[in-house]
Amino acid sequence: MEIDHQASTVLRGTGISNGRNAGPLKFFQRAGVKASYTQTASDAAREWSRLEQACKESAERISALYQQALRTVGKEEAEIFAIHGMLIEDEDFLDALKEAVKDGKSAELALEEAVSRFSKMLEELNDPYLSARAADLRDVAAHIRRTLAGEEAINTHSSREPFLLVADDLSPSETVMLEKSMILGFVTFGGTPNSHTAILARAMGIPALVGVGEIDAIHDGAYALLDAADGTLTLYPTAEEQALFAQKQRRDDRIAQEHDRYLRGLMNKPAVTRSGHRVLIYANIGDTDEVRAALANGADGIGLLRSEFLYLGTTDYPSEERLFTAYREIAEAMEGRRAVIRTLDIGADKRIPYFGLPEEENPALGFRAIRICLSREGLFKTQLRAILRASAFGSLSLMLPMIVSLDEVRQSKRLLEECKEELLREGQTFDPELELGIMIETPAAAIMSRELAKEVSFFSVGTNDLTQYTLAADRQNPSLARLCDENREPVLRLIKMAADAIHESGGWIGICGEMAADLHLTQAFADMRIDELSVSVPYLLGLRGKVTECR
Ligand code: PEP
Ligand code: MG
């Protein structure tokens, strides 16, 4: 649209969140990767080694983005980076790169050709899930391209003044890497409300407007009003428009402050339903740094520490000392509140090269989590010993993922006893009463819950996997999200079965999958007398408020 510098112009798009903000527009500049590069190379081995190194560094960057997204926007939205991590290790893609450099092409040309060929192939399959992977592949390629060019990272605008960011579109990586404190809002020319970028913006709580159509960069710096609630962007607003907008903002602020005050008021009060059932509000964390944020948002404890972070982003197995230090830090920071540490859940969507795990046809149904740990006793005992030792410094609990049988629990208990005996012999201290629990993530575990409940003190339901295995619906496949949303009943019945079983045995039950954060289900969980709900940090306060409103 032609925009007059003098007159106010209103552009329409789709608002992503209900926020409003005013400020100068700033056009997103992608890091200036050289558009031209040498197309041929005489030393194929050198080009391959450049590519290999660039892929390795990019994989590390993606893994860091995954962790960052986990922390800031939660597990479900972070999943996109797990997919990127898989794409960068795709053998067909890597083979195509290798073949191209063997043919005398430069690393850069090999990359461009492979990305264009693979993304075209994916787009032509006419499947929404696979077409989305084409955009992901381009996002992954941007990392490799930047690394090849020796660029550090995306230009995140070292502006000193907050601004409304304008871009044609933003990839998920670009969105997560932006310096959030400076961004008043996002405006994108294209994009849809369900794109990953939109989902990330929503989760980051930043007002955003997508699909406004192209805006000429000549308007960089122009003052504008972004109203995501009304779906409008007003450039060069008149004085009256600005006054009206400011009035709406003041009203929004008042409502937000009241809501915040209400939630903060609840923060240090136990979450109790109106009929008197107490629900512990715990946090899911994926790194030691998150403990502080969990406590600042009133977490009663940590319901799930995904210990994988200690294994990701390194090139070798972490030592017992490394694990112990991290767990001790958490135990001490929690000052007596419970922290549930889950042993390693690797495999399926989380792959770590140095584990040397074989390729599998169906990784989600394959060699993962407790299955790997029980087959590699050294790996498992290192974790058990570290958790036991750290238990001397606070209130830790130990949790086993992906259990399907009594035998797995009994084998784990035998190894735990061995570790205790070893530590006693070595004169090391630990909590002899360390609580042991299992995750209910498979229909088998729910069905066997009566027997399993006799072996452990608590259950924690991993609804992400429980849904996947109950409905036979891949949790990574966005085109099945609706199927999962519409078929919660079978999953809820399994949860109820497990809750009844563990309560009969005198134990307790929590829920740590994404369903725990779904406020439409809080009443159902209260009715089942669920003892604890564990959610990512941004959901803690809202959930606490919701529990107090339950019957
Ligand atoms: C789950 O499966 O619900 C869960 C909490 O574990 P993860 O998401 O780490 O597989
Ligand atoms: Mg799981």
Side-chain angles (χ1 to χ4, degrees):
M1 181 196 276
E2 194 66 29
I3 300 167
D4 188 330
H5 279 76
Q6 310 305 322
S8 140
T9 309
V10 179
L11 304 180
R12 297 200 167 273
T14 310
I16 295 304
S17 65
N18 287 330
R20 294 184 173 89
N21 259 328
L25 297 182
K26 183 138 192 145
F27 281 65
F28 182 64
Q29 286 156 16
R30 294 205 158 76
V33 174
K34 285 186 274 281
S36 63
Y37 47 79
T38 320
Q39 307 236 329
T40 55
S42 53
D43 187 347
R46 182 177 170 276
E47 291 307 288
W48 175 239
S49 125
R50 285 181 64 220
L51 269 173
E52 244 186 340
Q53 186 58 25
C55 287
K56 187 166 161 273
E57 281 175 34
S58 303
E60 280 162 13
R61 229 176 240 181
I62 291 168
S63 164
L65 281 177
Y66 176 70
Q67 294 300 333
Q68 188 181 341
L70 260 187
R71 273 198 297 281
T72 51
V73 294
K75 165 99 180 143
E76 210 160 325
E77 281 77 17
E79 211 57 67
I80 185 71
F81 298 108
I83 295 176
H84 289 188
M86 283 191 280
L87 286 174
I88 205 165
E89 285 171 5
D90 183 88
E91 276 189 18
D92 291 339
F93 178 64
L94 294 175
D95 283 348
L97 294 178
K98 199 182 245 172
E99 284 309 311
V101 292
K102 263 197 214 150
D103 288 347
K105 292 176 183 161
S106 68
E108 285 83 357
L109 183 62
L111 176 69
E112 296 318 317
E113 287 188 351
V115 169
S116 124
R117 181 150 65 83
F118 278 78
S119 46
K120 195 152 162 264
M121 225 159 61
L122 288 165
E123 273 158 357
E124 280 171 358
L125 291 174
N126 260 340
D127 169 323
Y129 175 70
L130 295 171
S131 301
R133 298 290 78 81
D136 291 329
L137 186 61
R138 283 192 288 271
D139 197 355
V140 166
H143 286 289
I144 308 175
R145 196 178 295 126
R146 265 194 301 278
T147 319
L148 279 175
E151 299 265 348
E152 261 305 296
I154 290 169
N155 176 0
T156 57
H157 293 278
S158 48
S159 172
R160 265 188 255 134
E161 232 198 305
F163 53 85
L164 295 168
L165 184 72
V166 181
D168 47 358
D169 201 359
L170 289 169
S171 71
S173 309
E174 288 168 342
T175 315
V176 168
M177 284 161 86
L178 291 166
E179 175 52 49
K180 198 178 140 198
S181 62
M182 282 296 155
I183 297 180
L184 297 166
F186 291 117
V187 179
T188 60
F189 304 164
T192 64
N194 292 326
S195 68
H196 278 287
T197 304
I199 294 167
L200 287 168
R202 197 180 294 124
M204 286 158 87
I206 295 178
L209 198 61
V210 299
V212 293
E214 196 169 335
I215 308 174
D216 197 311
I218 183 171
H219 300 289
D220 191 273
Y223 188 76
L225 313 175
L226 168 60
D227 191 330
D230 286 353
T232 56
L233 178 76
T234 310
L235 285 105
Y236 307 105
T238 61
E240 293 89 86
E241 282 169 332
Q242 290 188 47
L244 187 66
F245 190 82
Q247 202 180 348
K248 284 187 187 171
Q249 274 186 309
R250 279 196 296 276
R251 197 189 55 207
D252 287 352
D253 285 352
R254 238 185 355 260
I255 296 172
Q257 274 167 13
E258 268 165 33
H259 190 62
D260 203 50
R261 237 193 329 270
Y262 159 70
L263 291 177
R264 299 240 152 234
L266 292 173
M267 197 163 100
N268 296 313
K269 294 197 186 121
V272 182
T273 64
R274 285 187 277 129
S275 59
H277 173 63
R278 165 117 198 238
V279 181
L280 293 167
I281 308 294
Y282 280 11
N284 290 344
I285 62 170
D287 204 336
T288 38
D289 303 346
E290 281 184 276
V291 173
R292 218 174 316 118
L295 291 176
N297 283 277
D300 296 318
I302 301 295
L304 168 66
L305 170 75
R306 290 184 166 99
S307 61
E308 294 77 60
F309 77 97
L310 290 158
Y311 291 79
L312 293 161
T314 65
T315 50
D316 204 353
Y317 297 94
S319 63
E320 178 182 316
E321 225 40 46
R322 165 83 184 98
L323 302 183
F324 164 68
T325 310
Y327 300 151
R328 175 182 171 166
E329 198 183 311
I330 293 171
E332 288 180 335
M334 291 304 290
E335 296 181 339
R337 296 175 192 85
R338 185 194 275 134
V340 179
I341 301 189
R342 177 176 78 180
T343 58
L344 192 58
D345 180 7
I346 213 71
D349 56 324
K350 294 170 215 138
R351 311 208 62 89
I352 301 180
Y354 60 81
F355 272 66
L357 294 170
E359 283 297 317
E360 292 180 286
E361 278 289 315
N362 290 303
L365 302 181
F367 197 51
R368 64 175 283 198
I370 194 76
R371 301 172 185 182
I372 297 175
C373 285
L374 287 174
S375 77
R376 299 189 184 182
E377 286 193 2
L379 170 76
F380 197 25
K381 283 177 73 176
T382 304
Q383 300 169 64
L384 300 179
R385 284 175 54 100
I387 298 170
L388 276 166
R389 285 174 56 201
S391 71
F393 297 88
S395 172
L396 294 186
S397 302
L398 168 64
M399 179 158 78
L400 308 171
M402 280 300 294
I403 292 293
V404 296
S405 73
L406 270 173
D407 195 46
E408 288 163 338
V409 179
R410 288 184 181 147
Q411 275 191 59
S412 303
K413 284 169 79 171
R414 180 180 56 76
L415 292 169
L416 187 63
E417 284 313 308
E418 263 180 44
C419 291
K420 286 183 183 172
E421 281 161 24
E422 284 169 19
L423 292 174
L424 279 176
R425 274 200 303 276
E426 293 163 22
Q428 306 253 28
T429 48
F430 59 88
D431 173 6
E433 306 292 320
L434 177 80
E435 237 185 353
L436 175 68
I438 58 167
M439 290 197 68
I440 303 288
E441 295 181 285
T442 62
I447 293 164
M448 295 302 290
S449 53
R450 187 137 287 138
E451 289 76 4
L452 289 165
K454 297 199 175 86
E455 299 286 335
V456 295
S457 309
F458 70 95
F459 288 162
S460 183
V461 186
T463 54
N464 309 335
D465 278 315
L466 187 60
T467 303
Q468 149 164 282
Y469 297 125
T470 304
L471 302 180
D474 179 0
R475 64 189 267 184
Q476 309 261 45
N477 185 339
S479 56
L480 297 176
R482 190 143 156 233
L483 175 95
C484 295
D485 284 346
E486 286 172 356
N487 291 285
R488 288 179 158 165
E489 189 52 31
V491 180
L492 291 173
R493 287 195 202 179
L494 290 174
I495 300 176
K496 168 90 169 64
M497 199 187 265
D500 290 346
I502 194 87
H503 285 147
E504 255 168 52
S505 294
W508 60 273
I509 183 165
I511 298 178
C512 62
E514 296 303 312
M515 268 192 186
D518 184 339
L519 303 185
H520 298 107
L521 297 175
T522 316
Q523 182 65 59
F525 294 147
D527 292 343
M528 291 180 203
R529 320 301 279 174
I530 297 294
D531 303 280
E532 172 255 317
L533 292 170
S534 192
V535 296
S536 34
V537 170
Y539 300 112
L540 284 168
L541 281 173
L543 179 61
R544 186 175 290 278
K546 183 69 191 178
V547 168
T548 62
E549 290 162 14
C550 284
R551 285 189 299 274

